[in-house]
Amino acid sequence: MLLRMSTLFLRTLRDDPADAEVPSHRLLVRAGYIRRAAPGGFTWLPLGHRVFRNVERVVREEMDRMGAQEVHFPALLPREPYEATNRWTEYGPNLFRLTDRRGNDFLLGPTHEEMFTLLVKDLYSSYKDLPLSLYQIQTKYRDEARPRAGLFRGREFTMKDSYSFDVDDAGLDTSYTAHRDAYIRIFDRLGLEYVIVSAMSGAMGGSRSEEFLHPTEIGEDTFVRSAGGYAANVEAVTAVVPDPIPLDGLPAAHVEDTPDTPTIETLVAVARQLFPDAGYTAASTLKNVVVTLLHPDGSREPVVIGVPGDREVDAKRLEAQVAPAEVEPFTEFDKHPALVKGYIGPQVLGADSESGIRYLVDPRVVAGTRWITGANAAGRHVFDLVAGRDFTWDGVVEAAEVLPGDPAPDGSGPLELARGVEMGHIFQLGRKYAEALDLKVLDENGKLVTVTMGSYGIGVSRAVAAIAESMHDELGLVWPREIAPADVHVVATGKDAAVFEAAAQLSEALVAAGLTVLYDDRPKVSPGVKFKDAELLGMPTIVTVGRGLAEGVIEVRDRATGERSEVPVAEAAERIRAEVRGS
Amino acid sequence: MLLRMSTLFLRTLRDDPADAEVPSHRLLVRAGYIRRAAPGGFTWLPLGHRVFRNVERVVREEMDRMGAQEVHFPALLPREPYEATNRWTEYGPNLFRLTDRRGNDFLLGPTHEEMFTLLVKDLYSSYKDLPLSLYQIQTKYRDEARPRAGLFRGREFTMKDSYSFDVDDAGLDTSYTAHRDAYIRIFDRLGLEYVIVSAMSGAMGGSRSEEFLHPTEIGEDTFVRSAGGYAANVEAVTAVVPDPIPLDGLPAAHVEDTPDTPTIETLVAVARQLFPDAGYTAASTLKNVVVTLLHPDGSREPVVIGVPGDREVDAKRLEAQVAPAEVEPFTEFDKHPALVKGYIGPQVLGADSESGIRYLVDPRVVAGTRWITGANAAGRHVFDLVAGRDFTWDGVVEAAEVLPGDPAPDGSGPLELARGVEMGHIFQLGRKYAEALDLKVLDENGKLVTVTMGSYGIGVSRAVAAIAESMHDELGLVWPREIAPADVHVVATGKDAAVFEAAAQLSEALVAAGLTVLYDDRPKVSPGVKFKDAELLGMPTIVTVGRGLAEGVIEVRDRATGERSEVPVAEAAERIRAEVRGS
């Protein structure tokens, strides 16, 4: 295919768009690959659409290769199935809802678990029909509160979502592994760095779950890894829990005046003055943080989270634990006199207490641990308050932030923290959806058994952004060969008709050899502008036909390495073809 | 690619689905190509999705070949641009509207004129940038009152829509012709019979417009054609207008008692009794039909349509003329005493008359024609009422039905009527959208000129239905090679392991030769069921490996012609490859 710059629907921009926060967004807009069409909605321009379709092709080829079968659902879906699984409600404001002319409720599909479950139920009835993996590459909708970072977090985007159906857990494991392997091949082919991390299930509810994260500073997800090979989404990290301590012989709790100590810092300073030999640190204190849980039914509940004083409550970890409830800041101290701001202690907390406020603690708060914590009176704290003796809790919650150097839960060494963006998610759903929608098959003994499912997603449009984000330099985009919108960018410079003729001939020879060529045939554009555009647009091979032509050579440049070579015109087509095809 | 029936996500059905009205819908569901997912929304199952993608490929290749450039817009669009062109309102209940979490209005795009106009405005500014043709293959939404006929009329469907941008009318003509030629190539490749008919512009407003209709009894559109080559959508047919007749010397109008003549039939009978020598027929009468126009602003207006009494008012022709207003039956005679039901005459009508009710007449009502029509009193009619002398009108409207034998407007002979379904629409929009959204470019003289546009659509999912509708027999589907989900259907019959081995080897040899093979490897399914499935599924070539294998032959059958031949096993792969590839 030959794309001529003179007629290509393309305008490269000199300046960064005002609303672009991250390099991929800036560059994709500046290079004319995408254009904003709506809040969180982008239009793919011709070059961008070619990249998109290349990514889609890689995903499709690998899904087909693993034996998954492609189908395609509508995006506009009826309410009922999502009601049956409660996701109509659980999705909250993230779901686009609408009614048709008859007043029936519809939604724009965020994912399609329900629909796939019903489809398989519709067609299949026996264990002999399984295993089965189905996928689609489809437009998805989420009413994001804050669409951002261009294609990374939009309200309309393209996903490959697939679903596996098995008669038993061993089958699910096999299907899960097959998807995992396919994802590895996909991201390898896309040239996209990734880390496979253990993941929480979020609103999904199930068992094994991993994310393919692309490490990048601009990522919204934090993940951890140890030198020993442990890797997890920060939501999935579990604290290493100390052994409980026998309660016998522990000192009695005592309340002390600690004026003006509403923060951990001020409290520790006062505690050290009072008991210079105790070696108190922030970790000696128990910080009690009030939050409001917004439940899917609309009700609001104040809850106190107790964490060691050297850690903050990590909002994302907390949200993952309490989902589908959402977390909001707590402000209504006036309505809850039991809660003394800055001096909250566990003695007045608990579902069974007078306040009725639930108390959830960090897993490090085990029986026998001693804490300095609020005495529920301004300016007073209690010391040596022993967990399991002086106070109890309604539950344990992994809400404390993970700190660099924390031990990996599998003993593989200290953790380091990094940021990443989720590129793929594989997930053992188990029987949640099959149960809610009654997907059963007859097993070998003629008995009805509930099918077990997996759910697997790759962000196709997001992958384009991630590739742009990871592969660019100060001059522009640097596409890997597999997904570049064209294999070769031929630049004709100057005003010499012979140059344009040679460049056109070369372009056509390359097209005849099966390559896609972007040919800059613009007659009145200066070489400087053309070179700048070539760097910005980022084709992997840039060929310049210009002054060298008089000596019978053209220049071939590798966009990624910057390597240049002069090639005799007569050999150019074959040499370039071989370089592009790697043979 | 090898598709094995043993694992393919497919269930063929013996019985027709209860809700299927037309053969294509019945067969596509029975053969496991599509499945209903929502009212007017279908899921493509694996074989169906392959057909869909083949159609999409043909469309894309031909659009690329004509130089149109592919882009892709969101489907979820902001209200504002559609407000600027008034389509937010004009689309009425056919538009899916929704609000996001912030209360902003959105719509699901039915077509994308506004968005394309704004995109080009965003990037281009000079006549040098034009001509330009852009297209997308995209999911569209229309809240149809009555989704029907399966893929023919859904609420979510796939269209290729394209738009051309030119600096002047000559350019638009060229772009229009290029699209027309591309559409001819597309429908030829799809093997789909079509008639190109002149079309009304409907809600679009513009100039030249043609539809590609696929002739079929189940079509919703009526079109006409003459032996001399005239063809038009029935909405676009114009009446052949007689010359006006000088008013001098025409007899005076006279009112007669015509008791009990509320219908044309009864009126003609009485008129013949009164004036036996006048030769009165239904065509001598002027029938005045009251309808209510529902305007986009919500207002309702009674309007009287005058047509020769031998014709009914054709609702579709009327609607096309008055769009964007909609037509509703008129019932409020009690509120309009001037309108005497069954005896309405033009004497009391007209915007300037006392009643204020607009009167629109058929083009055949020219000055000097004489009519029998209502005298605005029960049981009375007026005779020899002369148009232009005794009554006037507010406008002319092409609302009378077209009858077989009517003369073609271009003099090419009498018209015949047929039914068809719209497969494609090409349309000179002109400057309507460019004006509404201020798309201007600088011309050669540095003067700002408004761009002129064309809009062109092909129903991609509808094309699948049309092909199924036109190519099937009593046994099932009969796909043309270009879009069949597989090139060859290999059926292994019996229980002999050697048969299955030979069939598998043949299938793999065909796949190695680049074909897609559907291989019926189901071990416990009877030959009868396998053959039935093969007919139903409709691959163009069906190969049976069975009893003949003992004699070293297999059977090759052409699904469309029914032709069978026996082929030696050793030559089978090459012979079949050659047949499929046509070389």
Side-chain angles (χ1 to χ4, degrees):
Chain A
M1 181 145 198
L2 182 58
L3 306 165
R4 292 173 190 278
M5 290 278 276
S6 60
T7 53
L8 188 64
F9 185 58
L10 171 75
R11 279 293 171 274
T12 55
L13 308 178
R14 226 175 276 183
D15 299 317
D16 287 334
D19 62 341
E21 306 150 347
V22 299
S24 61
H25 186 187
R26 280 201 290 277
L27 285 171
L28 288 171
V29 171
R30 274 190 53 207
Y33 281 71
I34 61 170
R35 197 91 191 149
R36 185 178 180 278
F42 286 87
T43 300
W44 296 97
L45 303 188
L47 291 182
H49 197 247
R50 295 185 65 84
V51 172
F52 173 83
R53 291 193 59 222
N54 285 336
V55 172
E56 188 186 49
R57 177 178 45 75
V58 168
V59 171
R60 177 173 282 133
E61 283 173 5
E62 294 300 336
M63 293 311 296
D64 287 344
R65 188 202 294 209
M66 71 152 276
Q69 302 182 50
E70 186 169 6
V71 299
H72 198 88
F73 276 87
L76 182 66
L77 301 173
R79 169 179 177 161
E80 292 72 22
Y82 287 76
E83 192 74 72
T85 59
N86 206 30
R87 291 214 297 172
W88 174 265
T89 307
E90 278 179 13
Y91 254 104
N94 291 310
L95 197 65
F96 281 110
R97 297 175 182 82
L98 66 160
T99 54
D100 72 359
R101 62 197 292 155
R102 293 179 197 165
N104 295 316
D105 282 325
F106 284 82
L107 59 98
L108 296 178
T111 60
H112 276 66
E113 278 79 358
E114 287 81 353
M115 303 307 293
F116 275 85
T117 307
L118 288 174
L119 179 65
V120 173
K121 179 182 172 181
D122 203 11
L123 264 66
Y124 276 2
S125 58
S126 162
Y127 74 98
K128 290 180 203 159
D129 300 328
L130 306 181
L132 172 70
S133 284
L134 299 175
Y135 77 99
Q136 63 177 347
I137 298 175
Q138 216 234 10
T139 309
K140 305 288 185 192
Y141 296 87
R142 284 188 204 159
D143 194 354
E144 294 282 351
R146 287 172 298 278
R148 61 175 289 275
L151 298 174
F152 275 116
R153 187 164 290 279
R155 305 209 290 181
E156 174 168 349
F157 51 95
T158 305
M159 267 185 70
K160 186 286 299 172
D161 52 329
S162 44
Y163 306 89
S164 66
F165 300 86
D166 283 279
V167 75
D168 56 27
D169 294 349
L172 173 55
D173 278 338
T174 305
S175 297
Y176 182 90
T177 305
H179 272 90
R180 196 177 192 274
D181 293 345
Y183 277 33
I184 288 171
R185 284 194 298 272
I186 288 168
F187 293 119
D188 283 348
R189 282 181 65 182
L190 296 180
L192 206 51
E193 193 195 341
Y194 59 88
V195 182
I196 305 176
V197 304
S198 301
M200 284 296 294
S201 52
M204 302 283 224
S207 46
R208 193 174 169 200
S209 170
E210 288 167 296
E211 286 174 3
F212 286 70
L213 291 184
H214 172 63
T216 165
E217 274 308 305
I218 64 133
E220 291 185 334
D221 294 318
T222 306
F223 68 99
V224 303
R225 47 184 164 183
S226 73
Y230 176 82
N233 189 316
V234 76
E235 286 92 331
V237 181
T238 51
V240 173
V241 178
D243 290 330
I245 298 163
L247 301 176
D248 293 352
L250 294 176
H254 48 103
V255 173
E256 306 290 341
D257 280 331
T258 55
D260 297 330
T261 53
T263 66
I264 296 298
E265 201 176 24
T266 50
L267 172 60
V268 171
V270 169
R272 284 179 171 165
Q273 282 174 357
L274 290 172
F275 306 98
D277 301 332
Y280 285 135
T281 68
S284 314
T285 69
L286 179 60
K287 175 159 62 180
N288 297 303
V289 179
V290 203
V291 298
T292 301
L293 295 191
L294 175 58
H295 293 286
D297 66 4
S299 66
R300 288 162 188 280
E301 179 197 7
V303 168
V304 177
I305 313 291
V307 296
D310 60 336
R311 290 168 197 269
E312 301 297 332
V313 168
D314 180 322
K316 281 200 162 182
R317 277 168 59 76
L318 175 58
E319 273 167 5
Q321 294 273 321
V322 300
E326 289 177 28
V327 178
E328 296 189 346
F330 176 84
T331 50
E332 299 176 312
F333 283 97
D334 52 333
K335 290 197 192 158
H336 296 276
L339 302 175
V340 182
K341 196 171 178 178
Y343 300 90
I344 299 170
Q347 305 89 328
V348 300
L349 300 172
D352 297 335
S353 73
E354 201 175 318
S355 72
I357 295 171
R358 284 200 296 151
Y359 185 49
L360 306 175
V361 299
D362 186 78
R364 295 172 191 84
V365 182
V366 296
T369 50
R370 287 187 282 164
W371 303 94
I372 306 170
T373 191
N376 301 302
R380 291 172 70 84
H381 279 88
V382 59
F383 287 63
D384 292 324
L385 195 76
V386 172
R389 182 190 73 184
D390 303 327
F391 69 97
T392 59
W393 46 90
D394 298 297
V396 171
V397 65
E398 287 278 5
E401 67 181 324
V402 178
L403 297 176
D406 279 353
D410 66 354
S412 63
L415 296 175
E416 61 168 34
L417 273 71
R419 298 189 72 77
V421 63
E422 183 188 324
M423 300 308 309
H425 192 174
I426 55 177
F427 184 40
Q428 297 194 352
L429 281 179
R431 296 180 177 77
K432 174 179 164 172
Y433 289 88
E435 260 158 22
L437 297 163
D438 199 33
L439 170 58
K440 291 192 169 81
V441 294
L442 291 169
D443 72 5
E444 287 184 57
N445 307 314
K447 222 183 68 183
L448 276 175
V449 293
T450 301
V451 169
T452 182
M453 292 169 54
S455 146
Y456 316 89
I458 285 182
V460 177
S461 38
R462 180 179 280 187
V464 174
I467 294 165
E469 190 71 33
S470 73
M471 279 166 268
H472 71 265
D473 58 23
E474 67 288 357
L475 298 174
L477 297 157
V478 185
W479 295 110
R481 290 212 178 281
E482 176 102 37
I483 67 143
D487 299 300
V488 180
H489 191 148
V490 175
V491 180
T493 64
K495 292 173 184 172
D496 190 347
V499 163
F500 281 82
E501 207 170 293
Q505 271 176 17
L506 174 63
S507 298
E508 273 151 30
L510 293 170
V511 168
L515 304 191
T516 297
V517 175
L518 178 61
Y519 170 32
D520 196 342
D521 61 339
R522 292 175 293 175
K524 290 180 184 173
V525 173
S526 76
V529 168
K530 287 187 174 183
F531 290 141
K532 266 200 179 147
D533 278 347
E535 305 293 339
L536 178 60
L537 294 172
M539 302 314 128
T541 300
I542 301 170
V543 176
T544 306
V545 185
R547 268 182 251 162
L549 191 65
E551 282 83 56
V553 294
I554 59 166
E555 187 195 272
V556 178
R557 210 163 83 73
D558 184 291
R559 174 69 181 90
T561 64
E563 234 171 86
R564 291 163 195 269
S565 56
E566 296 207 323
V567 176
V569 176
E571 298 167 22
E574 174 49 26
R575 290 265 290 270
I576 295 165
R577 191 206 61 76
E579 186 182 318
V580 168
R581 292 288 179 238
S583 69
Chain B
M1 180 144 200
L2 183 58
L3 305 165
R4 293 172 189 281
M5 290 277 276
S6 61
T7 52
L8 188 63
F9 185 58
L10 172 73
R11 279 294 171 274
T12 56
L13 308 177
R14 226 175 278 182
D15 298 318
D16 286 335
D19 62 340
E21 305 149 349
V22 299
S24 60
H25 186 188
R26 280 200 291 277
L27 286 170
L28 288 170
V29 171
R30 276 189 53 207
Y33 281 72
I34 61 169
R35 197 93 189 146
R36 185 178 179 279
F42 286 86
T43 301
W44 297 98
L45 302 187
L47 290 182
H49 197 247
R50 295 185 65 84
V51 172
F52 172 83
R53 291 193 59 222
N54 285 337
V55 173
E56 188 187 51
R57 178 180 44 75
V58 168
V59 171
R60 178 173 282 133
E61 284 173 3
E62 295 300 337
M63 294 310 295
D64 287 345
R65 188 202 294 209
M66 70 152 275
Q69 302 182 50
E70 187 171 4
V71 300
H72 197 88
F73 276 87
L76 181 67
L77 301 173
R79 168 178 177 161
E80 292 71 22
Y82 287 77
E83 193 72 74
T85 60
N86 205 31
R87 292 213 298 171
W88 174 265
T89 307
E90 277 178 15
Y91 255 105
N94 291 311
L95 197 64
F96 281 111
R97 298 175 181 81
L98 65 161
T99 54
D100 72 358
R101 64 197 292 156
R102 293 179 196 167
N104 295 317
D105 282 326
F106 285 83
L107 59 100
L108 296 178
T111 60
H112 276 66
E113 279 78 359
E114 286 82 351
M115 303 307 293
F116 275 84
T117 307
L118 289 174
L119 179 65
V120 173
K121 179 181 173 181
D122 204 10
L123 264 67
Y124 277 1
S125 58
S126 162
Y127 75 98
K128 290 182 205 159
D129 300 327
L130 305 182
L132 171 71
S133 283
L134 299 175
Y135 77 100
Q136 63 177 347
I137 298 175
Q138 215 234 11
T139 310
K140 304 288 183 190
Y141 296 87
R142 284 189 206 160
D143 194 352
E144 293 283 350
R146 287 171 298 276
R148 61 175 288 274
L151 299 174
F152 275 116
R153 187 163 290 281
R155 304 210 289 183
E156 175 168 350
F157 51 94
T158 305
M159 268 185 69
K160 186 288 297 173
D161 52 328
S162 43
Y163 306 88
S164 66
F165 300 86
D166 282 279
V167 75
D168 55 28
D169 295 348
L172 172 56
D173 278 338
T174 305
S175 297
Y176 181 90
T177 304
H179 272 89
R180 195 178 192 274
D181 293 345
Y183 277 32
I184 288 172
R185 285 194 299 270
I186 288 168
F187 292 118
D188 284 346
R189 283 181 65 182
L190 296 180
L192 206 50
E193 194 196 338
Y194 59 88
V195 181
I196 306 176
V197 304
S198 300
M200 283 296 293
S201 53
M204 301 284 224
S207 46
R208 193 175 169 197
S209 169
E210 287 167 296
E211 285 174 3
F212 285 71
L213 291 184
H214 172 63
T216 165
E217 274 308 304
I218 64 135
E220 292 185 334
D221 293 318
T222 305
F223 67 97
V224 303
R225 45 184 165 184
S226 73
Y230 176 82
N233 189 316
V234 77
E235 286 91 332
V237 182
T238 50
V240 174
V241 179
D243 290 331
I245 299 163
L247 301 177
D248 294 348
L250 294 176
H254 47 104
V255 174
E256 306 290 341
D257 278 331
T258 54
D260 297 329
T261 51
T263 66
I264 296 298
E265 202 174 24
T266 49
L267 173 61
V268 171
V270 169
R272 284 178 172 167
Q273 283 173 356
L274 289 172
F275 306 97
D277 303 331
Y280 286 136
T281 66
S284 313
T285 68
L286 179 61
K287 174 158 63 180
N288 297 302
V289 179
V290 202
V291 298
T292 301
L293 295 191
L294 175 57
H295 293 287
D297 65 5
S299 67
R300 287 163 187 279
E301 179 196 7
V303 168
V304 177
I305 313 290
V307 296
D310 58 338
R311 292 168 195 266
E312 302 296 331
V313 169
D314 180 320
K316 282 200 162 180
R317 277 170 56 79
L318 176 58
E319 272 166 5
Q321 294 274 320
V322 300
E326 291 177 27
V327 178
E328 295 188 345
F330 176 84
T331 51
E332 300 176 310
F333 284 97
D334 51 333
K335 289 196 191 159
H336 296 276
L339 302 175
V340 182
K341 197 172 175 177
Y343 300 90
I344 300 171
Q347 304 87 329
V348 300
L349 301 173
D352 297 334
S353 73
E354 202 176 317
S355 72
I357 296 170
R358 282 200 296 151
Y359 185 49
L360 306 175
V361 298
D362 186 78
R364 294 172 192 83
V365 182
V366 296
T369 49
R370 287 188 282 165
W371 302 94
I372 306 171
T373 190
N376 302 302
R380 291 172 71 81
H381 279 89
V382 59
F383 288 62
D384 292 323
L385 196 75
V386 173
R389 182 191 72 183
D390 303 325
F391 68 98
T392 58
W393 45 91
D394 299 295
V396 171
V397 66
E398 286 279 5
E401 65 182 326
V402 179
L403 296 176
D406 278 354
D410 65 354
S412 62
L415 297 176
E416 61 168 34
L417 272 70
R419 298 188 72 78
V421 62
E422 183 186 325
M423 301 308 309
H425 193 173
I426 54 177
F427 185 39
Q428 297 194 353
L429 281 179
R431 297 182 176 77
K432 174 180 166 173
Y433 289 87
E435 259 158 24
L437 297 162
D438 199 33
L439 169 58
K440 292 192 170 81
V441 294
L442 291 171
D443 71 6
E444 287 184 58
N445 308 313
K447 221 182 69 183
L448 275 176
V449 292
T450 302
V451 170
T452 182
M453 292 169 55
S455 146
Y456 316 89
I458 284 182
V460 177
S461 39
R462 178 178 282 187
V464 175
I467 295 165
E469 191 70 32
S470 73
M471 281 166 266
H472 70 266
D473 58 23
E474 66 288 358
L475 299 173
L477 297 158
V478 185
W479 294 112
R481 290 213 177 280
E482 177 101 37
I483 68 142
D487 300 300
V488 180
H489 191 148
V490 174
V491 180
T493 64
K495 291 171 184 173
D496 190 347
V499 163
F500 282 81
E501 210 169 290
Q505 272 176 14
L506 175 62
S507 297
E508 272 151 30
L510 293 171
V511 169
L515 304 192
T516 296
V517 176
L518 177 60
Y519 170 33
D520 196 342
D521 60 339
R522 292 174 294 176
K524 290 178 184 172
V525 174
S526 77
V529 169
K530 287 187 174 181
F531 291 140
K532 267 201 178 143
D533 277 348
E535 304 294 340
L536 179 59
L537 294 173
M539 301 315 127
T541 301
I542 301 171
V543 177
T544 306
V545 185
R547 270 182 249 162
L549 191 65
E551 283 84 55
V553 295
I554 60 168
E555 187 195 274
V556 178
R557 210 164 82 72
D558 186 291
R559 174 69 181 91
T561 64
E563 233 170 87
R564 291 162 196 271
S565 55
E566 295 209 321
V567 177
V569 176
E571 299 166 20
E574 175 48 25
R575 290 265 291 270
I576 296 165
R577 191 206 61 74
E579 187 183 318
V580 169
R581 290 290 179 237
S583 68

